[in-house]
Amino acid sequence: MASSSTFPPPCRLPHFTPKSISSSKPRTKTKFPVRPISTPRASFSDPFVIQIAETLEDSNSTLSSKQSPPLDKLRETSSQSLLSKSWPSRKDERFRFTDTSFIKRSQIHPVLNPPNSESNLIDISSDIPQSPNLVIVDGYIVPSLSKISELPENVYVGSISDISSVEIMEKVTKFVSDFQEGDLFWSLNGIGAPDATVVFVPSGCHVEKPLSFRFYSSESGDTESTHLPMSNPRVLILVEKGGEIGIIEEHLSGNEEEEKCYWENSVMEVFIGEGGKVTHSYIQQQAANAAHIKWTYVQQESSSTYELVEISSGGKLGRHNLHIQQVGPDTVTEVSTFQLCVRAQTQDLHSRIFLQHPRGTTRQLHKCIVAHSLGQVVFDGNVELIRPAQETDANQLSRSLLLEPGATVNVVPNLQIKPDGVQCSHGATICGLDEEDEQLFYLLARGIDTKTARKALLFAFGAEVTERLPCESLRKKVDSHIQRLLEPIA
Amino acid sequence: MSSLLHFSTPSPSSRLSSSSFRNSPSNSLLFTKSTLRSIRLPSISRRFNQNRLSLTANASSVVDSPTTSAVDSGGGSPKLLLEVKDLTAVIAESQLPILKGVNLVIYEGEVHAVMGKNGSGKSTFSKVLVGHPDYEVTGGSVVFKGENLLDMDPEERSLAGLFMSFQSPIAIPGVSNIDFLNMAYNARRKKLGLPELGPLEFYDFISRRLKIVKMDTNFLNRNVNEGFSGGERKRNEILQLAVLGADLAILDEIDSGLDVDALQDVAEAVNGLLTPKNSVLMITHYQRLLDYIKPSYVHIMEDGKIVKTGDSSLAQQLEKEGYKGISA
């Protein structure tokens, strides 16, 4: 794959006929001469998808879009994989419970240029986290708001097109777009990403302070119009043998209550070498009418550790596709998620942890509160052990709290276990706050009034996840954000 | 402070809610175990009579006039704290009867122990007193400090001065111990019309109390009972008692799951908290707790009733002969 012939100049998607593609790439299915439109599951040439792909394509030919061989490779493979994908409907297993039609009904416009006026970024600069940090607006790094000076010298953080080290470039090229199981949105990001931000941690390097990413969207449509600006930020994290880093990923809007419409279609890829460790905090607080679709793909080599803490409360639709692939034995994986719906919104986590080597440990905790009659949480949690994954220790726990009649949660916990000699457990409960009787009684028995006690338990429900955030200042910020959202309900 | 343990009004088996006995003169001398033993009037037949009498008894009719006052516990005789009469209760869900007519009277400054086999109803009794929703009271009455306890919500009972240390305190992930204690303490202050304490002031207040239960300050930042060992949970219960105070502390199997050292610490903490004004009701299986916290009265519970009352010698007898020896 590394030969130069795989890096043609920015790939256009000129005709998008099956024929033109099948001739260029044998992998693409050639057996679909039929018109697919009448069959929803048909695997290519969804005209709507082609339309988005073409506008994304066009946006990438603009000057501002970064060019580099691995980006070209990414755009090309993504274009090809896109051909077999159509816009998801409720008939697709992975979108059974999740309605993406409001995106489809909109006029999607890729954000073309990096934000040039800093006046509309004042909000962002007022909230500088602990350094080092990167501000990414519409997929572009904003250098004036970013600060990466405190990182160790041999760590690379920056645009994929600015990599000067041949060694790093080779490694990045190897990993970019390595993942074959992405859906339509994965591919759209691959085509539309104007840049890819690369974090490279060389072997044995421990980055002490967490690296913070803050993602913003500069353009938005209002609720009445169908104008939907779309951005495709992409980040690649590469941690070599024995390396360690903490990543904080915040998807923000100046004001979560603001009725801004935009679509952020984000991707993060994380590759952890032998014995490496990545702690990943992912905070989704997008504007109330935003669509946030996000992929996290993680590959873990032997004895590596990946810890993810996700807190999602923003957007009209938040969809997180998490795929963790074990490629060596003795890995440790911890995934903790808290989803909160206080409006008519959907929070969706589709996670797949795939274990194919011995002695892996994986723990997944999913918690959610749905506090609105039109709120919905979807959790499809797949832990898959194939036969070589002997002596795996896997558990998964899901707890949902529904506070309003009509509030919905669709939970599909799924442990697929092929090998013997493994320890696996899972559980899922759905309840109202009253069912926390024993805890409530304990508080009452100490003289705390019912209202205060309930409130404490309500806040505590998510705190079980938020307290796993490794960075204390972030934890406080997130906790107070959640309390602010829950205050009217408590 | 441990000497205060021996404070006790020696109106002996009248603890079983007998107004007739309450009217006999009593005193508030510093009694030793031996003097207590000498004036015990344990008799089952008498108790039954008393039960009938107790129907007409009422707390205000009790007049205790000390005949001697070698030690006066603060001007006046001990007051009636808790009076339980013919209390019956069922499990709310299954309607299975557990308590079948419990009678018990506790005065200020007294230490009582309720012993009994598994399933005798002793833990249920303590939970019913604090208003646990798993149980329904079907008959009888409970008067605490002159008020009808059964009319009160659990939080009101707590604020009124009733404290139960839970047998298996539940973990509350997401609520830190210090926040929890702060909330509970502020509820007390609110009730007394005092301004609530902010986190910093409270930290000051609480860290001074931690040594009572020999705990580290990092204990405060952990979530309520989450990942606590058995001993830590019990210490945490006693810490709550130390912070909140109580006129009557019910210690439900405070000794279970404790090694000797931890038991000693916990008992020492409880003894340190005892004053002539407050009382303790211990629920236990074992004599060994009573070696550390000396009871003025020992009650044996069987099939939802108190079947025998005596002084601490009863517990010793129990230790030697088992429950069979007692009920025979």
Side-chain angles (χ1 to χ4, degrees):
Chain A
M1 289 296 277
S3 87
S4 60
S5 67
T6 57
F7 306 128
C11 167
R12 297 278 302 163
L13 301 172
H15 310 299
F16 267 104
T17 63
K19 220 175 192 176
S20 70
I21 293 302
S22 63
S23 59
S24 68
K25 206 62 180 174
R27 201 187 131 261
T28 310
K29 290 160 187 161
T30 56
K31 52 182 178 184
F32 300 119
V34 287
R35 297 309 304 165
I37 294 134
S38 57
T39 50
R41 296 288 315 218
S43 300
F44 73 105
S45 308
D46 177 335
F48 179 68
V49 168
I50 300 300
Q51 196 195 330
I52 307 174
E54 281 177 345
T55 47
L56 290 174
E57 259 285 298
D58 290 340
S59 74
N60 273 339
S61 59
T62 62
L63 277 179
S64 59
S65 198
K66 307 276 183 178
Q67 312 295 337
S68 86
L71 262 187
D72 295 339
K73 173 190 165 192
L74 171 67
R75 287 168 186 157
E76 195 213 344
T77 52
S78 301
S79 297
Q80 276 153 16
S81 65
L82 187 90
L83 289 172
S84 58
K85 288 161 185 162
S86 55
W87 192 267
S89 75
R90 301 296 274 263
K91 287 178 183 154
D92 290 287
E93 182 59 32
R94 289 180 58 81
F95 286 85
R96 231 168 97 196
F97 304 111
T98 308
D99 186 4
T100 55
S101 61
F102 84 96
I103 301 178
K104 197 176 178 183
R105 283 195 304 270
S106 307
Q107 296 292 316
I108 297 163
H109 297 281
V111 179
L112 288 181
N113 293 304
N116 42 15
S117 143
E118 296 210 347
S119 59
N120 54 357
L121 301 175
I122 288 169
D123 280 358
I124 301 173
S125 54
S126 68
D127 180 31
I128 298 287
Q130 286 181 332
S131 48
N133 71 87
L134 282 175
V135 169
I136 295 181
V137 178
D138 305 326
Y140 297 92
I141 300 171
V142 182
S144 59
L145 295 173
S146 304
K147 187 182 166 203
I148 53 170
S149 51
E150 285 179 44
L151 291 167
E153 248 175 49
N154 49 357
V155 169
Y156 179 80
V157 176
S159 164
I160 197 168
S161 60
D162 295 340
I163 298 173
S164 53
S165 152
V166 178
E167 189 204 347
I168 296 178
M169 189 55 120
E170 256 175 30
K171 285 172 178 157
V172 167
T173 307
K174 182 177 163 231
F175 283 109
V176 93
S177 195
D178 193 43
F179 179 53
Q180 306 297 330
E181 292 172 63
D183 61 2
L184 169 73
F185 300 106
W186 172 274
S187 300
L188 286 176
N189 176 284
I191 299 169
D195 190 4
T197 305
V198 172
V199 176
F200 177 79
V201 180
S203 60
C205 176
H206 291 201
V207 182
E208 270 178 35
K209 290 190 178 172
L211 174 63
S212 166
F213 284 85
R214 285 175 302 152
F215 296 87
Y216 292 89
S217 298
S218 69
E219 293 184 21
S220 60
D222 54 46
T223 356
E224 282 74 39
S225 78
T226 56
H227 180 75
L228 187 69
M230 175 202 194
S231 66
N232 294 281
R234 192 174 185 105
V235 177
L236 174 71
I237 312 237
L238 207 54
V239 176
E240 292 210 299
K241 186 173 175 177
E244 282 187 22
I245 192 168
I247 300 288
I248 296 171
E249 186 189 0
E250 290 177 272
H251 297 265
L252 305 163
S253 123
N255 179 357
E256 203 180 302
E257 281 79 43
E258 236 177 290
E259 309 245 303
K260 293 195 292 189
C261 294
Y262 59 88
W263 173 18
E264 194 203 271
N265 185 45
S266 189
V267 166
M268 182 175 277
E269 294 171 282
V270 183
F271 298 90
I272 314 172
E274 186 187 332
K277 181 174 181 181
V278 172
T279 53
H280 182 185
S281 309
Y282 162 47
I283 314 295
Q284 194 270 98
Q285 297 175 356
Q286 306 238 294
N289 278 314
H292 173 87
I293 295 182
K294 141 103 172 154
W295 266 94
T296 306
Y297 171 64
V298 182
Q299 208 181 83
Q300 286 190 260
E301 286 184 5
S302 61
S303 308
S304 65
T305 302
Y306 175 70
E307 291 169 3
L308 170 68
V309 181
E310 170 187 352
I311 289 91
S312 288
S313 57
K316 181 176 180 178
L317 167 65
R319 159 78 171 220
H320 184 203
N321 302 288
L322 171 67
H323 186 113
I324 300 172
Q325 180 89 36
Q326 184 203 38
V327 294
D330 302 296
T331 52
V332 176
T333 308
E334 271 183 36
V335 175
S336 315
T337 304
F338 175 55
Q339 299 161 307
L340 174 61
C341 290
V342 295
R343 301 181 295 264
Q345 60 183 154
T346 296
Q347 300 292 357
D348 176 352
L349 170 65
H350 268 65
S351 68
R352 184 162 179 233
I353 303 174
F354 190 75
L355 296 137
Q356 52 186 354
H357 296 274
R359 298 177 302 278
T361 301
T362 157
R363 313 203 175 285
Q364 181 169 28
L365 172 67
H366 167 259
K367 295 190 97 172
C368 67
I369 297 178
V370 187
H372 192 280
S373 57
L374 296 173
Q376 179 199 21
V377 157
V378 180
F379 170 52
D380 188 311
N382 225 304
V383 180
E384 211 174 319
L385 278 61
I386 63 165
R387 204 163 288 280
Q390 297 291 336
E391 297 171 65
T392 297
D393 180 357
N395 71 51
Q396 183 190 57
L397 183 68
S398 166
R399 295 189 64 207
S400 306
L401 195 54
L402 302 182
L403 299 179
E404 279 291 317
T408 309
V409 57
N410 303 103
V411 178
V412 190
N414 193 354
L415 252 73
Q416 296 179 40
I417 305 162
K418 295 275 162 55
D420 309 320
V422 295
Q423 275 188 41
C424 292
S425 66
H426 73 143
T429 59
I430 298 169
C431 61
L433 204 52
D434 288 341
E435 279 129 270
E436 307 286 322
D437 266 351
E438 277 299 316
Q439 293 181 344
L440 186 65
F441 180 71
Y442 192 74
L443 299 181
L444 298 180
R446 295 299 177 249
I448 300 165
D449 65 275
T450 314
K451 191 166 187 280
T452 310
R454 276 175 190 280
K455 199 160 151 179
L457 290 178
L458 189 61
F459 292 160
F461 190 82
E464 196 185 355
V465 173
T466 58
E467 70 190 15
R468 298 182 185 198
L469 289 168
C471 170
E472 198 190 339
S473 59
L474 180 68
R475 190 163 62 234
K476 282 187 178 155
K477 206 170 79 175
V478 169
D479 274 340
S480 68
H481 181 78
I482 290 171
Q483 290 201 3
R484 209 161 51 239
L485 291 175
L486 284 174
E487 194 68 47
I489 296 140
Chain B
M1 290 297 270
S2 63
S3 66
L4 294 168
L5 264 182
H6 304 294
F7 262 111
S8 155
T9 53
S11 336
S13 58
S14 61
R15 294 300 162 270
L16 297 173
S17 70
S18 152
S19 63
S20 58
F21 277 92
R22 294 307 323 162
N23 289 327
S24 65
S26 71
N27 54 39
S28 46
L29 278 171
L30 178 66
F31 277 90
T32 62
K33 266 199 279 182
S34 57
T35 55
L36 271 175
R37 197 176 298 139
S38 65
I39 55 159
R40 296 235 52 92
L41 300 167
S43 149
I44 290 188
S45 62
R46 185 171 292 145
R47 189 179 56 77
F48 285 133
N49 290 332
Q50 288 156 7
N51 281 349
R52 262 186 285 118
L53 284 171
S54 69
L55 292 173
T56 53
N58 100 39
S60 58
S61 71
V62 174
V63 182
D64 282 327
S65 50
T67 49
T68 49
S69 54
V71 176
D72 198 314
S73 59
S77 40
K79 292 194 191 101
L80 180 65
L81 199 55
L82 179 79
E83 187 174 35
V84 180
K85 281 186 207 163
D86 299 327
L87 182 67
T88 57
V90 298
I91 295 175
E93 206 176 278
S94 63
Q95 296 292 305
L96 184 74
I98 304 289
L99 300 185
K100 298 171 180 172
V102 178
N103 291 285
L104 179 70
V105 174
I106 297 176
Y107 280 78
E108 275 183 352
E110 293 179 345
V111 175
H112 290 243
V114 172
M115 304 182 76
K117 284 187 273 195
N118 279 333
S120 59
K122 54 192 194 310
S123 274
T124 299
F125 178 47
S126 65
K127 285 183 179 167
V128 166
L129 288 181
V130 293
H132 196 287
D134 283 358
Y135 304 95
E136 224 170 73
V137 173
T138 49
S141 67
V142 181
V143 174
F144 180 64
K145 291 164 76 179
E147 286 186 59
N148 182 357
L149 191 73
L150 300 177
D151 273 354
M152 300 184 204
D153 288 332
E155 62 270 33
E156 293 169 338
R157 298 182 196 201
S158 166
L159 293 174
L162 187 63
F163 178 96
M164 179 181 79
S165 106
F166 284 73
Q167 194 185 122
S168 327
I170 193 165
I172 311 184
V175 177
S176 75
N177 222 9
I178 189 162
D179 286 350
F180 162 60
L181 290 166
N182 199 352
M183 268 191 286
Y185 187 66
N186 277 344
R188 283 281 185 292
R189 296 195 44 108
K190 206 170 152 190
K191 163 97 177 173
L192 296 170
L194 295 168
E196 302 190 353
L197 286 193
L200 288 176
E201 296 163 288
F202 183 71
Y203 182 82
D204 233 36
F205 167 82
I206 187 80
S207 33
R208 278 180 277 127
R209 269 158 183 77
L210 278 173
K211 61 177 186 300
I212 296 174
V213 283
K214 297 188 177 164
M215 288 192 301
D216 209 66
T217 45
N218 71 23
F219 200 76
L220 296 172
N221 295 321
R222 293 168 66 186
N223 285 332
V224 179
N225 297 322
E226 191 185 32
F228 282 26
S229 69
E232 286 174 327
R233 284 180 192 230
K234 303 288 170 154
R235 281 170 205 258
N236 201 24
E237 294 294 291
I238 301 306
L239 176 65
Q240 291 165 41
L241 175 59
V243 168
L244 303 177
D247 297 309
L248 176 60
I250 304 167
L251 309 179
D252 189 1
E253 298 199 14
I254 195 78
D255 49 344
S256 69
L258 294 191
D259 59 30
V260 178
D261 289 348
L263 178 62
Q264 245 165 351
D265 286 350
V266 164
E268 207 175 286
V270 172
N271 285 333
L273 295 169
L274 277 170
T275 72
K277 287 284 178 192
N278 58 25
S279 309
V280 166
L281 173 62
M282 290 181 281
I283 311 283
T284 184
H285 274 292
Y286 305 107
Q287 154 72 25
R288 69 168 190 167
L289 175 66
L290 311 187
D291 292 339
Y292 297 101
I293 306 174
K294 314 266 185 208
S296 2
Y297 301 96
V298 173
H299 311 272
I300 307 296
M301 199 151 177
E302 206 178 282
D303 191 26
K305 284 179 178 177
I306 288 175
V307 294
K308 192 158 190 166
T309 292
D311 61 19
S312 55
S313 64
L314 187 57
Q316 284 152 15
Q317 189 192 344
L318 193 69
E319 189 81 349
K320 281 195 205 104
E321 301 166 31
Y323 286 98
K324 268 189 188 148
I326 297 288
S327 26

